[in-house]
Amino acid sequence: MSAVVCVGSISNIKALWESRIQKHQDELKAERGQRGKSSVGEISNVWESRIQLSKLKEKVYNEDGRLILRIEKEEWKTLPGCLVKLPQLQEWQLHRTGLTTIPTFIANFNNLLVLDLSRNVINKIPREIGRLTKLRELLLSYNRIAEVPAEISGCENLERLELAVNKDISELPDQLGKLTQLTHLDLNMNQFTTIPRAVLELPALEWLDMGSNKLKTLPEDVDKMQCLHTLWLQRNEISDLPDSIGHLQNLSTLVLTNNRMRGIPACLQSLRNLRFVNFRDNPLELEVSLPPSEDEEEEEERDLFGLQFMHAYIQESLNSGSTDNEFLNKDEDLFS
């Protein structure tokens, strides 16, 4: 009996195996291609990083022995990680770059003395910034920051903090009162309704700008800021001042323009070092004019709402008060 060969079955088996072999070869080819792409991608990333680092190095300047990274009016919305290869930088000056975030690797720059990122679109301060223990100046005005992290208190050598024109900051963490070296604080054009407790606790504070906020009054213990020599309170809603402000014996400049002051408190006469004051654009109730000066130049330079005006106004106010009391006493005698 002769064997029967099924030609169709053999052909099917052969086709099946050829299909499997082809599929396996295609998979191997695809895998090799993917590996090739990954390698090309890695090489591309390396070269891109080198190019970025090269560009950044061109922005590094040596001024008086200080290494400064300075970028002006160039688009750098984010800072590349390769920047960590320049840990010796002592100052960053990045203005009008469109920068949106401060990288968390900022903590690697232990030698940083000045961080100036003003006039960008930064909306958050990373907590890692508190690890910059040598930092002396943190300048973040004209950004979009709404919250200040407590970790900034870790910048123990900070002397200057500027957060002006962020428009949405309304409070500061109490921990900032631990910044014992801070002398200059700019909080102009934000949403503060009072001077934060942390500010009152700053033992070395000399210069404070809280203009263009929503202050209605000052804390009763405002005199805790005994080192303060300059206080800007313009364009707020202040209608009265606490008597304790008269205890700020180092105060030399006080600006209260464009508020809601209806009078000038007599306690300001106690400020023996006061050299410049301005009450312009307040609804003051008394009309006080200064006597003409014999010196024409002095007359031209004299501020009609300045120091002389303040003393004249207080004196007029006291005189008016004395007169009113006399009339009251006479009225009482008539009805007795």
Side-chain angles (χ1 to χ4, degrees):
M1 183 176 178
S2 58
V4 178
V5 178
C6 184
V7 177
S9 297
I10 294 174
S11 298
N12 290 339
I13 293 171
K14 182 180 179 182
L16 178 62
W17 278 104
E18 287 178 348
S19 174
R20 289 180 177 178
I21 292 170
Q22 184 62 45
K23 183 179 179 182
H24 181 64
Q25 289 177 342
D26 290 343
E27 289 176 351
L28 289 175
K29 185 177 180 180
E31 186 177 346
R32 292 193 194 101
Q34 188 62 38
R35 288 177 182 174
K37 288 181 180 179
S38 298
S39 298
V40 171
E42 290 174 3
I43 293 172
S44 177
N45 289 337
V46 170
W47 277 106
E48 184 178 353
S49 178
R50 289 180 179 178
I51 292 171
Q52 288 179 328
L53 184 59
S54 178
K55 287 182 179 179
L56 289 170
K57 285 182 177 179
E58 292 176 359
K59 306 295 182 183
V60 176
Y61 303 87
N62 189 325
E63 296 182 2
D64 298 326
R66 180 180 291 190
L67 290 177
I68 301 173
L69 174 65
R70 181 178 294 127
I71 304 177
E72 297 275 353
K73 299 180 181 179
E74 290 185 20
E75 188 170 310
W76 288 81
K77 292 184 178 180
T78 58
L79 293 173
C82 62
L83 187 56
V84 298
K85 295 183 179 180
L86 300 174
Q88 68 274 27
L89 289 173
Q90 295 170 288
E91 186 169 340
W92 288 13
Q93 293 181 6
L94 279 70
H95 304 149
R96 295 186 174 92
T97 65
L99 189 68
T100 59
T101 57
I102 302 174
T104 55
F105 61 70
I106 188 73
N108 295 323
F109 291 83
N110 297 322
N111 294 312
L112 209 57
L113 301 175
V114 176
L115 181 57
D116 184 358
L117 304 177
S118 304
R119 299 183 183 277
N120 285 290
V121 288
I122 298 166
N123 56 29
K124 185 178 181 181
I125 303 174
R127 295 178 178 179
E128 288 79 3
I129 207 165
R131 292 163 62 181
L132 301 177
T133 56
K134 294 182 181 179
L135 194 67
R136 295 177 186 170
E137 297 184 17
L138 178 57
L139 313 178
L140 296 171
S141 294
Y142 293 90
N143 277 285
R144 299 178 182 177
I145 297 164
E147 185 176 352
V148 179
E151 283 77 7
I152 287 183
S153 61
C155 303
E156 56 191 32
N157 286 296
L158 198 64
E159 299 172 359
R160 188 183 188 100
L161 176 59
E162 296 189 356
L163 296 167
V165 200
N166 276 280
K167 298 184 179 180
D168 290 326
I169 302 175
S170 60
E171 58 184 16
L172 295 178
D174 291 343
Q175 290 87 338
L176 263 63
K178 299 177 182 178
L179 295 172
T180 58
Q181 305 300 314
L182 195 70
T183 60
H184 180 108
L185 179 59
D186 192 348
L187 299 172
N188 184 44
M189 287 190 69
N190 279 289
Q191 297 293 320
F192 291 96
T193 58
T194 186
I195 297 179
R197 177 59 44 187
V199 176
L200 298 176
E201 297 295 334
L202 294 168
L205 191 64
E206 298 176 356
W207 192 100
L208 174 63
D209 187 348
M210 293 204 69
S212 298
N213 277 278
K214 295 182 178 180
L215 305 184
K216 289 182 171 60
T217 186
L218 303 184
E220 289 294 334
D221 54 350
V222 68
D223 56 340
K224 294 186 72 172
M225 300 185 290
Q226 279 298 307
C227 292
L228 200 67
H229 62 64
T230 301
L231 180 57
W232 295 81
L233 297 170
Q234 71 283 0
R235 293 188 296 278
N236 277 287
E237 302 170 18
I238 298 170
S239 59
D240 195 15
L241 299 174
D243 289 342
S244 55
I245 197 171
H247 301 153
L248 295 175
Q249 291 304 312
N250 287 306
L251 196 65
S252 60
T253 298
L254 175 61
V255 181
L256 281 157
T257 55
N258 208 331
N259 273 279
R260 298 181 181 178
M261 301 283 295
R262 301 180 67 84
I264 300 177
C267 62
L268 294 182
Q269 288 186 316
S270 301
L271 300 174
R272 302 303 182 190
N273 288 306
L274 196 61
R275 296 293 178 268
F276 179 84
V277 67
N278 200 323
F279 289 93
R280 189 179 296 276
D281 297 325
N282 277 278
L284 297 171
E285 292 182 341
L286 297 179
E287 292 186 9
V288 175
S289 58
L290 298 176
S293 175
E294 296 179 359
D295 189 329
E296 292 184 3
E297 291 184 4
E298 182 182 339
E299 180 70 24
E300 291 178 359
E301 294 178 359
R302 185 167 55 174
D303 190 341
L304 296 180
F305 292 88
L307 193 61
Q308 284 182 285
F309 172 83
M310 183 192 81
H311 287 296
Y313 191 100
I314 291 174
Q315 189 59 51
E316 180 67 23
S317 179
L318 292 174
N319 291 340
S320 299
S322 299
T323 303
D324 290 341
N325 288 334
E326 289 177 6
F327 281 127
L328 285 173
N329 291 334
K330 289 180 179 179
D331 289 342
E332 289 176 359
D333 292 338
L334 289 172
F335 288 99
S336 60

